[in-house]
Amino acid sequence: LNGNQIGNLETGVFNGLSCVVRIDLNGNQIGNLETGVFNGLSCVVRIDLSGNQITNLKTGVFKELSSLIILDLSNNQITNIETGVFNGLSGLSELYLSNNQITNIETGVFNGLSCVQRIDLNGNQIGNLETGVFNGLSGLYELYLSGNQISNLETGVFNGLNCLGKL
């Protein structure tokens, strides 16, 4: 479904597609993701929503996607990520949020993502990283923060990232 003109995904659009393993919606005009839009996708391992017009991620939008491994939200217009938006993504390994308009990451946003190995936040407008923002990411190996507006790194901001190999 990539490269179309899809502007809206209604809740229930994927009902009955329990065997789908990949959803490719990149290059559309999606601006909003309703809570529950991905319900029923019990086997999906990859969702690509890059290159859309998403501005905000609401809590619960990904809540039933425990099999998801890769989530690509790069090249959107995301400014805010609510705490709890990634709840339920216990198997997530790669999270791409590059080239958005994220200015701040609240402490607790990444809670529950202990399996994540890669987070890409390149090309945003992040100005400050508070202590605790990466808490719980014990398996994180790659963290990309280039091309932001970071002017301050609080002491202890990277505490607990014992597996980090690329920064």
Side-chain angles (χ1 to χ4, degrees):
L1 294 168
N2 66 310
N4 283 291
Q5 297 177 16
I6 300 168
N8 185 39
L9 295 174
E10 295 181 16
T11 300
V13 68
F14 299 115
N15 283 353
L17 300 179
S18 59
C19 294
V20 170
V21 294
R22 181 176 176 156
I23 301 279
D24 192 353
L25 289 160
N26 73 310
N28 280 285
Q29 299 170 9
I30 300 165
N32 189 29
L33 295 174
E34 295 296 325
T35 300
V37 70
F38 298 111
N39 287 0
L41 294 172
S42 56
C43 294
V44 71
V45 295
R46 181 183 177 113
I47 295 178
D48 186 349
L49 288 159
S50 63
N52 280 284
Q53 299 170 11
I54 300 166
T55 57
N56 190 26
L57 296 174
K58 297 177 184 176
T59 300
V61 71
F62 304 114
K63 69 178 176 181
E64 294 191 19
L65 299 174
S66 60
S67 63
L68 193 64
I69 296 172
I70 301 171
L71 178 58
D72 191 345
L73 293 159
S74 59
N75 299 299
N76 277 283
Q77 299 168 16
I78 299 168
T79 57
N80 183 43
I81 303 170
E82 294 181 10
T83 299
V85 75
F86 301 120
N87 287 356
L89 297 180
S90 56
L92 195 68
S93 176
E94 299 177 20
L95 178 59
Y96 298 95
L97 290 161
S98 60
N99 301 310
N100 279 286
Q101 298 170 17
I102 300 167
T103 57
N104 183 46
I105 302 171
E106 294 178 23
T107 300
V109 164
F110 301 119
N111 284 355
L113 298 181
S114 59
C115 291
V116 168
Q117 296 176 354
R118 177 183 297 142
I119 295 178
D120 187 347
L121 288 159
N122 286 341
N124 281 286
Q125 298 171 15
I126 300 165
N128 185 37
L129 292 173
E130 297 177 11
T131 301
V133 71
F134 301 116
N135 282 359
L137 296 174
S138 56
L140 191 64
Y141 181 73
E142 299 175 30
L143 178 60
Y144 299 99
L145 292 162
S146 298
N148 280 283
Q149 299 173 6
I150 298 169
S151 60
N152 183 37
L153 293 173
E154 291 187 9
T155 302
V157 70
F158 302 116
N159 283 356
L161 300 181
N162 301 329
C163 295
L164 197 63
K166 294 182 182 180
L167 179 62

